[in-house]
Amino acid sequence: GRPLIKADPDGKRSRTSVGSAVNNPKGNKEELRNEFIALFSNPAFRSSGLSNQALKNHFGDTKYVELVPIINDLMKKSRLSMNKLGDELIYSLVSEEVASKFTGLDAKARMVYQVIEVAGNMGIWTKDVKFRTNIQQ
């Protein structure tokens, strides 16, 4: 049989076949990326975003671990925003048009922008922006 790998960072044993990843790693990654992005068009997640738990439930432990480089790439391209709701991270897909506005901004500036955006027309105090972003100045 094919070798089995441990793919869960939490330490739970997950049996995964290595063969398919070895045969076509680029194709599998692209399929996973497309599936991840398509998930945001689901009415259940369109407005509220996707939590880490929802991602684990949908993709399973093995594929969930494989999402890390996809999430990092989308974050780098400003196509994905992260917000915290209680103790849970919530991911939201950002349109290409909006993402183009973030071009050239560093991570801190994007975080500040996202915190202000979440406040909406209610406004937000500078002190609250510092607290929510953990930025000192």
Side-chain angles (χ1 to χ4, degrees):
R2 292 187 175 161
L4 300 176
I5 59 171
K6 186 174 179 182
D8 186 357
D10 298 330
K12 297 174 192 160
R13 184 157 174 88
S14 179
R15 294 182 169 260
T16 305
S17 172
V18 177
S20 60
V22 172
N23 294 340
N24 189 3
K26 183 119 175 115
N28 288 342
K29 185 177 178 184
E30 196 60 36
E31 287 173 24
L32 187 60
R33 179 187 178 93
N34 292 338
E35 184 180 353
F36 176 72
I37 290 172
L39 206 52
F40 288 97
S41 62
N42 181 326
F45 305 120
R46 192 176 299 142
S47 61
S48 61
L50 275 163
S51 69
N52 263 334
Q53 191 58 51
L55 288 173
K56 270 190 174 182
N57 292 345
H58 179 81
F59 288 103
D61 290 337
T62 303
K63 279 188 175 181
Y64 173 78
V65 172
E66 294 173 16
L67 287 176
V68 172
I70 294 167
I71 289 171
N72 286 338
D73 183 55
L74 290 170
M75 291 289 294
K76 193 167 41 174
K77 293 176 180 173
S78 302
R79 289 294 320 278
L80 200 63
S81 69
M82 272 192 312
N83 294 300
K84 211 168 185 186
L85 186 63
D87 290 338
E88 189 73 48
L89 274 179
I90 306 293
Y91 299 99
S92 300
L93 192 64
V94 176
S95 71
E96 289 189 32
E97 179 184 331
V98 172
S100 68
K101 294 178 186 178
F102 292 120
T103 304
L105 294 181
D106 65 2
K108 287 182 181 179
R110 281 197 298 256
M111 274 195 317
V112 170
Y113 184 88
Q114 289 172 354
V115 167
I116 293 169
E117 187 179 46
V118 168
N121 63 359
M122 298 298 292
I124 190 165
W125 292 95
T126 305
K127 180 178 100 174
D128 291 332
V129 172
K130 289 178 184 176
F131 176 75
R132 292 182 185 175
T133 60
N134 218 11
I135 297 174
Q136 297 304 314
Q137 201 169 16

